[in-house]
Amino acid sequence: MQGLLQDLRYGFRMLARKPSVTVVVLVTLALAIGATTAIFSVVYGVMLRSLPYPKPDQIMSLKEVAADGHLMNFTDPNFRDLRAQNHSFAAMASGYGDQVTVSGGSGPARVNVAVFSRDFFRVMGVAPILGRGFSADELHQGAAPVALVSYAYWRQHLGGSPDLSSLKLKAENLEFSVVGVLQPGFDYPDHADIWIPAELFGEESQSRTGHNWSIVVARLRDGVTLKQARGDLTVLAHRLYQQYKPAIDMRDASVMPLRDALTANVRPALLILLAAVGFLLLVGCANVANLLMARAAERERELAVRAALGAGRSRLVRQFLAESLLLSLAGGALGVLLAIWGVDALLALAPPNLPRLDEVSVNLPVLAFAFGISLLVAVGLAIATTVRTTSVDPQAALAEGSRGAGGSLASQRIARVLVGAQMAVTLVLLAGAGLLGRSLLRVLSVDPGFRTSHVVTMELEVPASQLETMSNVEEAVKDTSPGRFMNNLFDRLRSLPGVEQVGGVSALPLEAGDCPDGKFLLLDREPQFNFKPDTPEFNKDFEHLWVTAPGGEGDYCVASKDYFTALGIPLLKGRLFDEDDTATAPHAAVISESLARTTWPNQDPLGRTIDFGNMDGDLRLLTVVGVVGDVRYRSLEKPPEPTVYVDYRQRLRGGRDFTVVIRSNIPPQSILASARTVVHEVAPDVAPRFATFQDVFSSSLGTRRFNLTLVGAFAVAALLLAAVGVYGIMAYWVSRRTREIGLRMALGAERGNVLGLVLGRASVTIAAGLAVGLGGAFILTRFIESLLFDVKAADPLTFTGVALLLAAVALLATYIPAQRAAKVDPMVALRHE
């Protein structure tokens, strides 16, 4: 310990002798380690940190697997069979999350509500901290509606009252009694605030193709492995397929740890960002290594004297390790401070679909990572410096030092290798940023099929009528009060100053909630059944019809006529909905161009009839009256889905989300207050959510913009570090060869010859770095193919552009010391030597 302290004290004095170099090293390490720590904190919080539930590794996410391998939501009968017949899970539950208008407490608000079957809380391993859970007599249709609430919702909206018996919530046209408050921090799924039992809403579907349950979770039995569970469900899924085909489309079942399922969509992007910041760390370390080796070259005489006096290699290694530790630990400490600020910046930039953001912080595991990185950097720098300095013969070093020569050939070679490596790594980062940038430009150039400017969107829940809480679907679909409500709201909104058009749709393009999709039937008459609706016999005949009748597939959207005109969706053939399309008139449908092309190729679709009753239970035929342009609903990067639009006056159901679109000739923000007032006057219990369509459009690109921003920032930082590295090594080379350059000029060398000498020496290193970098980029950019759009991973234009940019910056960094060398006065240089 005494020797270590002596080394640290001496190292501190040596660093203090060159404060400018020390500051540059500390800043470089702080930026590199800070950026790496900040990205790791996001990766750890989102991907690596255990879920905050008891035995979280036993909680699994289940999905159905189709014939082509894609994952599907669960159907009711498939879920029931797997739950009853499996041998791997202690409990299994199905459900979904949705935004619902909830009244009660502090007033109406759009709240995330989770609807789950029994055993959900058993699967998750959580229990109320106040009150109780659901009892068995509350888990059936017709039972008294009850709900559990989150701790945050209880405190914020219900005043934190310990007397739960007085707390009532109104949602889905029902009044719920709050019976329990869950533990702080529990908000699965989708930041839910309220949980209600799925059994409350009636009998389960008998369809094995109606994929209604978006979430199925299960808890493994003690001692059962993930592999065993997957094999168990695979056998059951194959058995069910053989038993029920062709009325079943499940071929297999997917079992995945819940933590992995939550992060599956963002895992590739986060790992790529971690690799990118790792490259930045390598560039920073190469820069620091060059600086330290340059300093070590200046200390060759000192080190040679120490070696001549008996200092062994291990003693010199300890000394350099002490100095490197001081630098890297100090740089790491500054880096942690930068990481704390950087995490806040990352969370502000992060797209809203990035899961588990509330668990991202600079915590103990992240600090341990930063400390480990600092130690690795210290050891690496110490080894690089020691190998160079201890390879010099002390006697030769003393002789060289007496002559004033600068740096050995080995020292120069190592420095050039490090600069070349910097160039190569920087080129890889630039290529990645360039590919992501070109992908974003390609996405922005896609025609979405609609306009976004001067449009305000207002998402709300259409009030449900009493009929729609009944189990009799046939009676419920005849009620037209939702249509009357929307007519009144549209008329009031059209009267606002500056409003040009007002329309509505059940799912806004690029929003999180897509139009439901499914199969429609090509029928020329309405289907007839021998049994009453909602009976087992009716359900069996209904399912048989949908399996055997000819049909197609598409999205199902409820819309108004002015929805198309407000968003500029063109009418290609026929007409839009008009005043004759009343609730009692034959039901009309407007279809998208792609649906017309795929369903009736080279035929006129107008006048054709289809049945899409599996979407809302209304089996009346839809007559095609018009064809409109395709719209990219789910993403700008995915092809338009075939879509069937139905008139809101004929098919709108209460209790469903509906988005009003308002086009104005004034700034959209100017009408928000007036529109909010109108909604409050028409329906005081409705809580609208406003946005501009431009913001919705921009949010849809959030993930791509996030990836590009970070990779681009790392690439620019690496480019600057590489330029500094090239400048530093050439400036050092010029300063150590002032006597040689002066002698050359005294013997007749021109300024151009000196410039050529310096630039030529640098060009060899730059060219080698670019060659290695292009090869590395060609290989490594293939790992980001999943993040690219309409651009190849080996795009020649991108590679050429970034290579020329890097070469230009490196040559510019070289030109500055080359100019200084060309201005050397031979007499001054020789007199100085």
Side-chain angles (χ1 to χ4, degrees):
M1 290 301 299
Q2 183 178 359
L4 175 62
L5 292 176
Q6 180 182 1
D7 289 339
L8 292 174
R9 285 195 298 268
Y10 183 77
F12 183 80
R13 291 199 302 270
M14 293 303 297
L15 296 176
R17 286 184 183 179
K18 295 282 187 178
S20 59
V21 175
T22 302
V23 168
V24 171
V25 169
L26 288 177
V27 170
T28 301
L29 290 177
L31 288 174
I33 295 176
T36 307
T37 303
I39 293 296
F40 178 78
S41 68
V42 175
V43 172
Y44 177 78
V46 172
M47 291 174 44
L48 304 179
R49 192 172 188 173
S50 295
L51 296 175
Y53 313 127
K55 297 182 179 180
D57 293 338
Q58 291 184 338
I59 305 177
M60 300 291 127
S61 172
L62 277 55
K63 288 285 187 181
E64 291 188 14
V65 181
D68 61 0
H70 79 270
L71 302 182
M72 304 183 295
N73 295 341
F74 259 89
T75 66
D76 276 307
N78 290 343
F79 168 76
R80 290 196 301 268
D81 287 341
L82 292 185
R83 180 177 62 182
Q85 300 176 29
N86 83 86
H87 303 289
S88 303
F89 299 106
M92 187 184 297
S94 60
Y96 62 89
D98 197 7
Q99 273 206 340
V100 176
T101 298
V102 178
S103 302
S106 60
R110 296 282 288 174
V111 177
N112 289 322
V113 175
V115 181
F116 270 92
S117 65
R118 60 182 174 87
D119 290 337
F120 170 69
F121 296 107
R122 184 182 169 199
V123 171
M124 304 308 295
V126 298
I129 60 169
L130 180 65
R132 62 175 177 83
F134 303 134
S135 61
D137 59 354
E138 293 166 341
L139 300 177
H140 63 85
Q141 185 181 7
V146 292
L148 296 175
V149 298
S150 69
Y151 183 84
Y153 186 86
W154 174 65
R155 293 294 301 270
Q156 181 178 354
H157 294 275
L158 303 179
S161 173
D163 182 14
L164 299 182
S165 62
S166 62
L167 300 181
K168 306 292 182 182
L169 300 174
K170 186 177 180 181
E172 303 281 351
N173 209 34
L174 297 172
E175 186 175 74
F176 293 83
S177 299
V178 177
V179 298
V181 179
L182 293 172
Q183 64 190 39
F186 181 74
D187 61 357
Y188 179 80
D190 303 325
H191 302 289
D193 282 315
I194 299 174
W195 292 261
I196 57 181
E199 291 81 0
L200 187 65
F201 296 99
E203 294 295 328
E204 298 170 331
S205 169
Q206 302 302 315
S207 170
R208 292 187 183 269
T209 58
H211 301 275
N212 300 318
W213 300 112
S214 58
I215 300 173
V216 171
V217 289
R219 179 173 285 273
L220 288 174
R221 297 180 185 273
D222 292 337
V224 175
T225 66
L226 176 60
K227 183 178 180 180
Q228 290 171 333
R230 285 172 172 166
D232 184 14
L233 289 200
T234 294
V235 171
L236 292 177
H238 290 171
R239 184 189 306 163
L240 291 175
Y241 176 74
Q242 294 299 326
Q243 182 177 353
Y244 293 104
K245 65 179 182 181
I248 184 174
D249 53 5
M250 178 181 70
R251 296 294 185 88
D252 200 349
S254 166
V255 183
M256 182 184 301
L258 180 59
R259 183 182 64 179
D260 295 345
L262 291 174
T263 60
N265 292 333
V266 300
R267 179 182 298 270
L270 288 181
L271 292 178
I272 288 169
L273 288 177
L274 188 61
V277 79
F279 284 160
L280 176 61
L281 179 64
L282 291 177
V283 173
C285 289
N287 239 11
V288 171
N290 256 338
L291 286 171
L292 293 183
M293 285 197 297
R295 286 193 60 206
E298 295 176 353
R299 295 170 59 187
E300 278 184 359
R301 184 174 177 80
E302 168 213 336
L303 296 173
V305 169
R306 293 172 60 133
L309 293 176
R313 173 172 290 198
S314 62
R315 187 67 185 81
L316 297 179
V317 169
R318 281 172 46 197
Q319 181 59 54
F320 282 115
L321 182 59
E323 294 179 17
S324 298
L325 274 174
L326 286 172
L327 286 172
S328 59
L329 292 179
L334 292 175
V336 168
L337 296 178
L338 289 176
I340 295 174
W341 170 83
V343 166
D344 293 335
L346 287 175
L347 295 181
L349 287 172
N353 64 339
L354 194 63
R356 306 183 68 188
L357 283 180
D358 53 340
E359 299 182 42
V360 174
S361 63
V362 181
N363 47 33
L364 285 178
V366 174
L367 291 176
F369 171 82
F371 180 72
I373 287 292
S374 300
L375 287 182
L376 286 176
V377 169
V379 171
L381 294 176
I383 291 175
T385 310
T386 303
V387 168
R388 182 260 168 274
T389 54
T390 57
S391 61
V392 178
D393 179 26
Q395 192 172 16
L398 288 172
E400 283 190 18
S402 64
R403 293 193 300 269
S408 67
L409 289 176
S411 171
Q412 299 168 30
R413 192 178 299 113
I414 294 174
R416 293 174 68 183
V417 167
L418 288 175
V419 170
Q422 279 184 295
M423 298 286 293
V425 173
T426 300
L427 182 59
V428 173
L429 284 176
L430 286 173
L435 292 172
L436 292 176
R438 291 203 66 201
S439 294
L440 180 59
L441 292 177
R442 291 291 181 90
V443 171
L444 291 174
S445 67
V446 168
D447 179 12
F450 52 81
R451 294 179 297 177
T452 61
S453 59
H454 292 281
V455 174
V456 170
T457 69
M458 179 175 64
E459 183 184 348
L460 50 83
E461 183 180 309
V462 180
S465 68
Q466 291 297 324
L467 281 175
E468 289 172 311
T469 65
M470 299 171 58
S471 61
N472 194 324
V473 177
E474 186 177 359
E475 291 297 323
V477 298
K478 293 179 181 178
D479 184 62
T480 59
S481 59
R484 291 197 299 268
F485 167 79
M486 293 308 306
N487 286 339
N488 186 21
L489 180 60
F490 286 164
D491 291 341
R492 293 286 302 275
L493 291 173
R494 289 189 185 101
S495 66
L496 295 178
V499 172
E500 294 181 334
Q501 291 168 325
V502 178
V505 69
S506 56
L508 191 70
L510 305 182
E511 279 271 84
D514 299 327
C515 292
D517 62 329
K519 180 182 179 181
F520 57 84
L521 305 183
L522 302 175
L523 302 178
D524 55 7
R525 63 175 64 91
E526 291 183 8
Q528 301 296 319
F529 298 98
N530 298 322
F531 305 97
K532 293 182 178 180
D534 289 338
T535 62
E537 294 82 3
F538 173 88
N539 292 333
K540 184 176 180 181
D541 286 354
F542 183 85
E543 178 65 20
H544 183 265
L545 174 68
W546 243 262
V547 171
T548 58
E553 293 186 355
D555 287 352
Y556 178 86
C557 279
V558 182
S560 71
K561 170 186 176 181
D562 288 335
Y563 162 72
F564 302 100
T565 54
L567 296 192
I569 301 173
L571 176 65
L572 305 179
K573 182 179 293 188
R575 65 173 178 87
L576 299 176
F577 305 124
D578 58 27
E579 298 303 321
D580 294 331
D581 297 320
T582 61
T584 57
H587 285 203
V590 173
I591 63 175
S592 66
E593 181 183 14
S594 58
L595 187 138
R597 184 173 57 252
T598 56
T599 307
W600 296 284
N602 302 318
Q603 301 177 55
D604 187 0
L606 299 183
R608 305 281 183 148
T609 54
I610 63 174
D611 194 311
F612 220 154
N614 60 334
M615 291 293 101
D616 57 8
D618 193 334
L619 299 181
R620 282 174 283 187
L621 292 184
L622 294 165
T623 301
V624 177
V625 299
V627 180
V628 295
D630 285 327
V631 171
R632 294 178 184 256
Y633 267 93
R634 288 171 172 77
S635 169
L636 294 176
E637 302 172 30
K638 296 180 180 178
E641 295 289 341
T643 306
V644 174
Y645 299 94
V646 296
D647 195 329
Y648 78 99
R649 291 169 299 181
Q650 298 177 332
R651 293 286 183 121
L652 182 62
R653 298 285 304 280
R656 307 290 177 89
D657 285 347
F658 201 69
T659 301
V660 177
V661 293
I662 308 169
R663 175 172 290 280
S664 64
N665 54 21
I666 59 177
Q669 293 81 359
S670 304
I671 63 173
L672 292 181
S674 301
R676 193 181 300 274
T677 301
V678 167
V679 175
H680 181 71
E681 293 173 352
V682 173
D685 290 337
V686 171
R689 184 168 64 90
F690 288 91
T692 67
F693 202 13
Q694 284 280 21
D695 291 339
V696 173
F697 184 86
S698 179
S699 296
S700 70
L701 300 173
T703 300
R704 185 168 290 284
R705 191 180 295 112
F706 178 69
N707 295 336
L708 173 59
T709 299
L710 293 186
V711 175
F714 300 153
V716 170
L719 179 63
L720 293 175
L721 288 176
V724 170
V726 172
Y727 170 81
I729 188 63
M730 296 314 301
Y732 176 76
W733 185 82
V734 168
S735 66
R736 301 290 282 181
R737 277 157 181 75
T738 302
R739 179 175 181 273
E740 173 192 337
I741 294 172
L743 184 59
R744 286 174 178 269
M745 297 187 73
L747 294 175
E750 301 290 336
R751 291 186 58 187
N753 301 124
V754 177
L755 278 173
L757 173 67
V758 180
L759 291 175
R761 182 178 181 84
S763 296
V764 174
T765 302
I766 294 171
L770 290 177
V772 175
L774 285 172
F778 182 80
I779 297 172
L780 295 177
T781 52
R782 298 187 180 277
F783 290 99
I784 68 170
E785 276 186 311
S786 61
L787 305 183
L788 303 181
F789 175 75
D790 201 25
V791 176
K792 294 182 179 179
D795 181 54
L797 181 61
T798 301
F799 277 36
T800 302
V802 297
L804 292 176
L805 172 64
L806 183 56
V809 171
L811 288 175
L812 179 62
T814 304
Y815 185 75
I816 299 173
Q819 277 282 81
R820 187 183 306 154
K823 294 180 180 179
V824 169
D825 185 339
M827 295 302 296
V828 173
L830 294 175
R831 189 181 303 117
H832 173 73
E833 290 296 331

